[in-house]
Amino acid sequence: MRLLTCVLFFASTSFVARAQDPKPKPEHVPADVAPQDPPATPLETPQETPYETPIIPPEAVPAPVPPTEALPPAVVTSTSATRAVPTLLAYARTWSEAEYEAELERLASTYPRFLRLGSLGTSKQGRRIALLTIGDLATDPDRRPAVLLATDLEARFGDRPGGPEAALFAVRTLLERAERETEFAEFFTGATLYAVPAPDPDGVFAQAAATERTCRLERNFPAGWQPSDAIECPQGPYPCSEPETRELARLVAARTNVAALAVLAVDPGPEAFDARTPPSAPLSRIAVRASLDARRLTRAREFAVAKPGGLAAFAHARSGACVLALDPWSGDEASGDAVRPAFAALPLAVDGLLRELPRLEGRMDRAERLRERLWLVEVEVRVAGGLPTASPEERAKAPASVWLDVEGARVSKIGARRDGQPTANLDVPRGRTWRIGHLDGNESLKLFLAVEGDEGGVLRLAFRSLRGGRAEFDVALGG
Amino acid sequence: MSPRRSGGVVVLALAAPLWAEDPHSLDALQDPPAVVPEVAPVALVQEIQPATTTTARGAEPAVVASAAPNTPPPWEPRYRGHDDVAAWARAWSATGLARTVVLPASRGGRATPALEFGAPGGGPLENRPTIFLLGGLDGVSLAGCEGVLRVADELLRARDALPSSVAFVCIPWASPDGLARTLAGEPTDGRDRLALDDDGDLALDEDGADDVDGDGLVLEMLVEDPRGAWTRGADARFLVPASSGDRPRFTRTKEGRDDDGDGRFNEDPEGGVVLDLSFPVGWNSEPGGLGGALPLDDDLSRALADLLLARPPLAVLAFQGNHGRLARAGGIASLAWSDGAGSRADLAAVKLFAESTGRVQDEAIALRRARGEDRPGAALDWVHAVVGALACEVGVWGPLDEGVEARGLTANPRAIATTEAASFTADSLWARWLDDVRGGIGFVDWHPVDLGEGRSALVGGWLPLARANPPPESLAVATGGLAGFVRKLATAAPVLELRIVEASRDGEVVTVRARLENLGRLPTGLGGGEGARVTLELPTGARLLWGENDARLGVLEPGTTSREITAVALVPPGGTLRLAARAPWAAPVDREVKP
C-alpha cells in the first residue's frame, strides 16, 4: 500500500491537554432528531441479509490497488483568528474535550453549505452528544438516502477508549472535497452523511474514576437484548436505559432514510470470528475503492452485527442497514509526515459506502399519443447504488418500498417490466399514489403509463422511497 | 435492582382485541346507578374479615378505620374518568395518609395520578418492600382501574392496621391515553395516540376502523378468506381457530373498510402503543405489534420502569384483563417461565387470592393462557425477569364472577385440559354469562354488510361494557375481595429473623454462629440473582480469622431456616459486631452482638 505524503503546516493555536474535570454542562441544544415522515419501519432480529449476495467469489477479489483519489493537502489557512486548522496528523493523537468541541465549531463555520452541527441530547454527565449532518443543505438532507457514521461505543484502541478523532478526520476530508470538487458537491445533493463522532463523550473525555456506569453501552440497544442473570447487569435493566444509547437508538429509528451504518470499531482479528460468508458486491467495491481487504471488511461486519445489544446489530435489525465496520487504528503505523494508512482509507471507504446508497433516478423515455386525449408514456426508474430500497425482512412485511405520485393528468393504468420478465400491471392506486414495489441495488424498472390528458399538458411524476430518496421529473404531453 | 432470568426474545404478531363504539356513551354511565341491579349475582365472592389484632407470624391485623380529616368518600361502583381519578389522588394526598408519587404525563399530556402509602412506624416508604398496584396498563381495563381505586381506598381507610414493613404504590390509571380512548367509546385496543406506520406504507394511521353498517357501533368484522385463520364454532356467535378442512374460513378484524386500498382491512388504525406491551422482554418489534418503535420509548413507561427498579420489590399487581383470575408472568411461549406450574411464590399468591375472593384456581396460570393470546412485551415478564418481584395480573372481571359455574378455567378457544374434565372455553363461559345472567343482551349477532366493489363481510360481536369491562352494576362483584387479597399478600411478606446460635469470646477470639429464618408466608425472592444475604461488620481493630463475613443464602422458603453461618474473629475487648440480613422481598434486619 502506497504511503501518502503530505506537506503539512502547523497553526499557532496550542491544544490543551485532556481536561481533568468534565466540561461544564453545555447550553441545551435542541435535539436534532425530529420524527420525520416517513415514520419508523419494522425492527427485526439481526440476521444476515441475503441482499448482500456475493457475486464476486473470494478468489476473484482483485489485489488492492492504490487509491485513485489522493488525500487533499493539509489546509493551512485559518478561517478566523481564533479557529486554527488542525493538521491532518493532529487527528492521529488523542484530543481533549476542548479541542474536540473547537473542531466541531470550526467545521460548522467553515462549511455552512454542507455541514449542520446539532445535538442528539446530553450524556449522563451532561456533555453534548454532537450530531453532524453533512450534505447539500439547500434541500432537506433528511429526505435523502443516508449513511450514519459513528464511533463504536466500546471502541478500545490500544489501551485507551476510542475517541472522535478518526470520525472527524473522515468528515473533514469529505467536506474539503465537497468544497473543492464540483462533482462531489453535486453528489451530496443526492445523499446525506450523519456523523456521531463521540456517542459516549463521558467515556472518552471523563476520567475513568468519574465515570460511574455498570451498564455496557454496547450491550444496551434493543436488538438481541436479553435480561441477564448477572447481578451487575451489564446490558442495563432495559434497552436504551442510558441517555447515550437512547438518543442514538431514536436517531436510527427516526431517520428512516439511513440505509447504511459505518462504525469505527476495533478489528476483531482473524481468530475472533470465523466469517465464512464471502464478501458481498457492495463491500467488495468499497474495498477496492479504499484499498482494503474485502474479506477483512466482511469479517468485521459479521462481528459487529453479531454482537447482541450492539449499535450495529440494532441498525441492521431496525432498518436493514448495510454495516461497514472499520478500524482506523489497525495496520501499519504512520510514517514521517503521513497519516497511517487505515486513517487515509477512512474517507474513501465512507465515500464508497455513500455511493452504494439506493438513490432513485428517473427519466422519461418517450411519450406517444394514442388518441386525442390518450397517451402512452414510457419512463424508467432505477436505483443508482448497490443497496436495495428495502431489506428482505422488510420486503416480507411491506408490499412496497417505492411509490409513484402522479399529478397534472390522470393515469389510468401502469405496466411495469423488470429485466427478463413480462410486463405486469400495477395495483389500483390509492388516490394519486401508485405502489411500485421493491427495487434491488442497481436495478432499473421500465414503466408504461396510460395517461389521459390534453395536448400541451404536463404530467408530474415523483418516485419516492423510504431510503431511496426522491426522483421527480415532468413529462410534456405533446407540444 | 436484582436482575433475574434470561429468556428468549421472539417476535410474534399480536391479535388485536376488539372494541366497539357504544351509542350509549360510557360518559352517561359514570353516574352512580340509581337502582340495585335486577339480576343479583350468586355470591361467589366473599371477603374474609380477619378477627385477630396482633401482628404475630402469619396472623392478619384487624381492619381498623383510620380517623383522618377530610377523608374522601368511600369507593362506589361506577366508572371514573381521568379527572375524577386525579381528584381522588389529590384528595387522599391532602389527608396526609398518602403521598403523591410524581410521574411524567402521558404522550397525550394527561397527568398520571399516583400515590404511595404505608402503615406508620416502618421507616421510610422508599426503603420498604413495596407492592405496586397498576390499573389498566393495557389501556382497556377500566374495571382494573376501579379495582385499584377500591383496593387503595379500603387499604387507606385501615392504614394503621397494615403491616408496617410494607409500602404500597398505586397508579390507578397507568395508561392515561389508552384508557381515555376506551372510556370515550373509541374502537381502540388500548393503544395511545402515537401515530405509527403499522403497515409500512409510509402513511400514518390511514386505515382504521369504520362504522360500516351505520348502527353507531364499531364491532368485529369477518371477511371470508380461504386462508383465513378462523372459523365459526359450535356456538355460531363465536369463532375458533380454523384447521385443515374447515369451511368457511374468515379473516377476523375490526369493522371497517379498506381505506388505503391495499387489500387489508384496518391494519393501520389511529395510534399507537399499548404501554403494557412496550416492555423489553419478549417485545414485539413488528409493525402493528403495539409495542412501539422502541421498547419503553415514552417518558411515562420509562419512568414507571425506573420506579419499579428504585424500590425494594415485593409484588407488582397489574389489575387488568377479563379472565377473572390471577395470572403469573409468561406472555409468550418462548420465555423460560411460561411453561410449568409457576414458582412457589406464584402458588402462594393463588392461594391467598382464593382465600380472599373465592376464585379458586387449579394452578398459577401463565399470562398467555389466561388471556387466550400471546402478550409479547408484557410488563409482567420484564418485572419477573429484571425487577425480580412477584408479578401477577389480577383479572378483575371474568365470566365466572356472576353465577356462571365451571370447573377450572380455560381461556383458549380450543379447550385446554385441566385437572378436571373441563371442556369449557372462555367463549362458552362468556356465552353462558351472556345467556344466563344477561338474558342475551351484550352481543350483536353477525349480519352481512356490503363493503363495495363486490366485497361483503359479516359484522357483529360484543358490545362495550360486556366482555372487556363489566356493566357498572357488576363492578362491586368484580372488585370484591381484592383489597383483602392485597392485604393478605402484604401480611404474608417474608419476615427475616436473625437467630444468634452462639456469640462467645475466649480472650480476643470471638465466635459468632447465626442462622437466618423466614417467618413469612412468601419466600424471600424468586431465586437467581441476589438472594438472601447476611453480612458481618467487624469493629475497628478487629480481624476475621476464618469463616464468612458475607454469606449468600439463596432463597429462603416460608418457614425455613438457612444453614449456619460461622465467623471467628479477633476482636478487641468491648468490641461490637453487627450482623445485617438482607433479602429482596423482606425488610432488612440488623443485630448487634457484643460477646
Side-chain angles (χ1 to χ4, degrees):
Chain A
M1 186 180 298
R2 184 192 300 167
L3 296 178
L4 302 174
T5 305
C6 304
V7 177
L8 304 171
F9 296 89
F10 196 83
S12 59
T13 303
S14 62
F15 289 94
V16 301
R18 190 175 289 274
Q20 294 299 308
D21 297 317
K23 182 183 175 182
K25 187 168 181 175
E27 228 177 288
H28 173 69
V29 176
D32 192 35
V33 179
Q36 67 166 31
D37 177 34
T41 54
L43 170 72
E44 299 100 20
T45 52
Q47 48 185 294
E48 175 61 80
T49 51
Y51 71 77
E52 291 191 42
T53 50
I55 60 173
I56 302 178
E59 59 273 14
V61 172
V65 299
T68 54
E69 297 95 351
L71 278 179
V75 176
V76 176
T77 57
S78 297
T79 53
S80 73
T82 58
R83 290 208 177 103
V85 180
T87 66
L88 295 182
L89 274 184
Y91 290 87
R93 60 163 181 77
T94 303
W95 283 17
S96 70
E97 190 172 355
E99 293 171 312
Y100 166 65
E101 291 289 338
E103 176 63 359
L104 290 178
E105 297 298 333
R106 185 193 75 80
L107 290 174
S109 64
T110 305
Y111 305 103
R113 181 183 160 198
F114 294 110
L115 172 60
R116 183 172 68 206
L117 177 61
S119 170
L120 285 185
T122 54
S123 68
K124 201 159 188 170
Q125 294 182 7
R127 291 180 174 84
R128 171 171 69 167
I129 306 172
L131 169 68
L132 287 68
T133 303
I134 298 135
D136 189 306
L137 299 181
T139 57
D140 187 355
D142 299 334
R143 291 193 173 273
R144 301 194 292 257
V147 168
L148 171 62
L149 169 66
T151 307
D152 187 39
L153 285 148
E154 279 191 350
R156 297 274 172 198
F157 299 120
D159 58 358
R160 69 154 187 89
E165 301 85 7
L168 282 178
F169 177 84
V171 166
R172 171 193 162 157
T173 308
L174 292 171
L175 284 170
E176 288 174 348
R177 200 170 150 212
E179 190 81 359
R180 192 179 66 244
E181 298 176 19
T182 307
E183 183 272 335
F184 197 66
E186 180 67 25
F187 173 77
F188 258 141
T189 62
T192 297
L193 173 66
Y194 300 113
V196 185
D200 180 21
D202 296 346
V204 172
F205 298 122
Q207 282 202 339
T211 308
E212 300 173 358
R213 202 201 305 261
T214 55
C215 171
R216 290 177 64 182
L217 298 181
E218 192 53 16
R219 293 287 181 272
N220 193 234
F221 287 90
W225 182 92
Q226 300 231 6
S228 169
D229 287 338
I231 293 172
E232 289 300 317
C233 195
Q235 67 276 20
Y238 51 86
C240 303
S241 59
E242 309 302 303
E244 296 85 354
T245 52
R246 187 160 61 244
E247 299 306 336
L248 206 41
R250 281 180 174 165
L251 174 69
V252 172
R255 291 284 188 265
T256 51
N257 57 327
V258 171
L261 167 71
V263 60
L264 306 183
V266 175
D267 190 307
E271 66 286 347
F273 193 87
D274 181 17
R276 297 184 187 276
T277 307
S280 64
L283 279 187
S284 297
R285 284 191 289 267
I286 293 169
V288 169
R289 194 176 191 88
S291 303
L292 297 170
D293 184 345
R295 282 165 293 195
R296 200 170 178 184
L297 284 185
T298 300
R299 185 183 64 240
R301 175 197 173 279
E302 299 275 325
F303 184 73
V305 170
K307 273 198 291 184
L311 171 61
F314 175 63
H316 183 72
R318 186 73 179 82
S319 54
C322 169
V323 173
L324 176 66
L326 301 162
D327 183 353
W329 298 94
S330 66
D332 298 333
E333 293 292 330
S335 169
D337 293 334
V339 294
R340 59 192 306 148
F343 250 66
L346 257 185
L348 299 173
V350 175
D351 176 30
L353 189 58
L354 283 165
R355 292 180 189 277
E356 296 293 337
L357 288 173
R359 291 154 289 129
L360 289 182
E361 294 177 349
R363 69 158 195 253
M364 183 200 74
D365 287 341
R366 72 186 185 99
E368 177 189 342
R369 181 175 173 168
L370 301 175
R371 296 283 185 275
E372 184 175 340
R373 291 191 73 251
L374 185 63
W375 306 78
L376 175 65
V377 175
E378 292 181 23
V379 302
E380 185 176 326
V381 60
R382 67 177 290 266
V383 173
L387 299 178
T389 57
S391 67
E393 294 79 15
E394 289 171 323
R395 294 184 186 207
K397 292 163 196 158
S401 56
V402 180
W403 289 266
L404 169 63
D405 296 324
V406 174
E407 283 187 14
R410 179 175 174 268
V411 174
S412 58
K413 259 190 169 28
I414 298 182
R417 188 177 72 205
R418 297 173 190 262
D419 285 343
Q421 295 182 25
T423 305
N425 286 342
L426 296 185
D427 294 336
V428 175
R430 171 166 52 94
R432 292 179 178 276
T433 299
W434 293 78
R435 196 168 61 197
I436 303 299
H438 302 289
L439 290 175
D440 290 325
N442 294 314
E443 182 179 12
S444 64
L445 184 70
K446 209 160 184 63
L447 298 175
F448 304 91
L449 284 67
V451 180
E452 295 174 11
D454 294 323
E455 175 97 25
V458 175
L459 180 69
R460 291 196 171 80
L461 301 176
F463 292 93
R464 57 185 172 87
S465 170
L466 196 64
R467 300 204 177 83
R470 291 176 71 91
E472 301 174 326
F473 55 96
D474 294 341
V475 175
L477 300 177
Chain B
M1 184 270 298
S2 174
R4 309 249 45 99
R5 301 178 176 81
S6 60
V9 176
V10 171
V11 172
L12 289 172
L14 176 69
L18 305 172
W19 195 226
E21 193 175 323
D22 191 349
H24 306 291
S25 156
L26 286 172
D27 289 338
L29 297 172
Q30 286 185 21
D31 296 326
V35 297
V36 174
E38 291 179 14
V39 179
V42 171
L44 289 179
V45 175
Q46 293 179 351
E47 182 163 347
I48 298 172
Q49 298 291 343
T52 60
T53 58
T54 65
T55 56
R57 180 196 326 185
E60 298 171 15
V63 176
V64 176
S66 302
N70 301 321
T71 304
W75 179 85
E76 292 173 330
R78 65 180 177 88
Y79 284 108
R80 287 154 185 79
H82 175 265
D83 292 345
D84 283 343
V85 174
W88 172 91
R90 284 194 299 271
W92 272 111
S93 183
T95 65
L97 296 176
R99 279 201 315 234
T100 298
V101 175
V102 177
L103 290 173
S106 66
R107 270 202 192 93
R110 290 182 177 82
T112 312
L115 294 175
E116 61 177 350
F117 57 91
L125 290 175
E126 54 270 18
N127 293 344
R128 305 185 198 178
T130 305
I131 296 178
F132 293 87
L133 312 172
L134 309 178
L137 188 63
D138 63 358
V140 171
S141 297
L142 295 168
C145 304
E146 294 305 320
V148 171
L149 288 170
R150 182 173 180 181
V151 168
D153 184 85
E154 293 187 23
L155 294 183
L156 279 165
R157 287 177 196 287
R159 190 191 72 151
D160 292 350
L162 296 171
S164 60
S165 59
V166 176
F168 300 85
V169 172
C170 87
I171 308 172
W173 259 52
S175 179
D177 294 344
L179 291 167
R181 297 184 69 191
T182 300
L183 189 65
E186 292 185 34
T188 174
D189 43 17
R191 59 177 82 193
D192 62 11
R193 289 196 186 276
L194 178 67
L196 288 177
D197 180 12
D198 292 322
D199 55 357
D201 65 352
L202 299 189
L204 301 175
D205 300 351
E206 81 285 358
D207 190 4
D210 311 291
D211 178 14
V212 176
D213 56 4
D215 63 354
L217 300 170
V218 177
L219 303 176
E220 275 195 272
M221 191 168 77
L222 305 177
V223 180
E224 194 162 337
D225 181 354
R227 291 170 299 179
W230 300 91
T231 190
R232 303 285 276 271
D235 185 332
R237 291 175 293 186
F238 308 119
L239 291 100
V240 296
S243 49
S244 177
D246 285 338
R247 292 285 182 275
R249 296 172 69 139
F250 299 97
T251 295
R252 191 175 182 181
T253 180
K254 284 187 188 165
E255 181 180 350
R257 295 178 189 82
D258 179 11
D259 297 309
D260 58 357
D262 64 354
R264 295 179 286 178
F265 293 91
N266 314 316
E267 77 284 358
D268 194 0
E270 185 182 356
V273 178
V274 175
L275 295 193
D276 185 40
L277 300 181
S278 68
F279 285 75
V281 176
W283 175 69
N284 182 3
S285 61
E286 296 278 338
L290 303 178
L294 296 172
L296 295 177
D297 193 32
D298 71 296
D299 292 343
L300 174 56
S301 56
R302 196 165 52 252
L304 185 58
D306 290 337
L307 179 64
L308 295 175
L309 291 167
R311 303 293 182 101
L314 173 54
V316 176
L317 306 178
F319 288 73
Q320 58 191 28
N322 65 342
H323 44 81
R325 289 295 175 267
L326 195 70
R328 60 177 176 85
I332 58 176
S334 63
L335 297 173
W337 52 88
S338 285
D339 291 328
S343 67
R344 289 195 190 209
D346 294 322
L347 295 170
V350 164
K351 192 161 178 290
L352 295 174
F353 189 69
E355 287 174 10
S356 299
T357 66
R359 304 182 198 181
V360 177
Q361 295 172 214
D362 296 339
E363 55 178 325
I365 307 164
L367 181 61
R368 58 185 292 265
R369 286 187 58 213
R371 286 276 192 150
E373 60 186 10
D374 283 332
R375 299 283 291 177
L380 287 194
D381 287 316
W382 178 79
V383 168
H384 178 85
V386 178
V387 176
L390 175 66
C392 299
E393 178 169 282
V394 181
V396 172
W397 172 238
L400 304 183
D401 292 339
E402 284 188 321
V404 177
E405 295 183 10
R407 290 171 294 177
L409 169 73
T410 58
N412 276 338
R414 297 282 187 212
I416 297 175
T418 61
T419 55
E420 301 291 332
S423 60
F424 295 103
T425 65
D427 280 336
S428 62
L429 292 172
W430 281 110
R432 292 183 65 171
W433 173 82
L434 181 71
D435 297 333
D436 299 348
V437 178
R438 304 296 295 174
I441 298 173
F443 191 93
V444 174
D445 288 327
W446 300 103
H447 53 279
V449 293
D450 180 16
L451 297 177
E453 297 180 351
R455 303 190 71 172
S456 63
L458 297 172
V459 167
W462 291 91
L463 292 174
L465 296 186
R467 183 165 174 169
N469 285 294
E473 57 269 25
S474 301
L475 273 176
V477 170
T479 59
L482 297 181
F485 163 61
V486 175
R487 194 179 301 117
K488 279 180 181 287
L489 199 64
T491 309
V495 177
L496 298 179
E497 184 161 315
L498 258 177
R499 297 198 182 281
I500 307 299
V501 177
E502 176 186 352
S504 62
R505 175 185 283 276
D506 185 352
E508 289 198 31
V509 177
V510 165
T511 300
V512 175
R513 289 163 47 217
R515 290 182 186 271
L516 186 63
E517 188 174 356
N518 177 8
L519 304 178
R521 289 179 65 184
L522 290 175
T524 55
L526 281 178
E530 186 161 352
R533 186 180 179 189
V534 173
T535 55
L536 173 67
E537 190 181 311
L538 297 173
T540 307
R543 175 188 152 196
L544 181 72
L545 297 177
W546 66 81
E548 294 176 277
N549 61 354
D550 187 356
R552 307 292 176 115
L553 305 171
V555 174
L556 287 184
E557 297 297 339
T560 64
T561 306
S562 75
R563 61 175 174 79
E564 190 170 278
I565 306 152
T566 301
V568 177
L570 195 69
V571 179
T576 302
L577 294 83
R578 189 161 164 269
L579 287 160
R582 302 286 183 268
W585 292 1
V589 168
D590 298 315
R591 286 280 299 267
E592 286 191 347
V593 178
K594 196 172 180 180

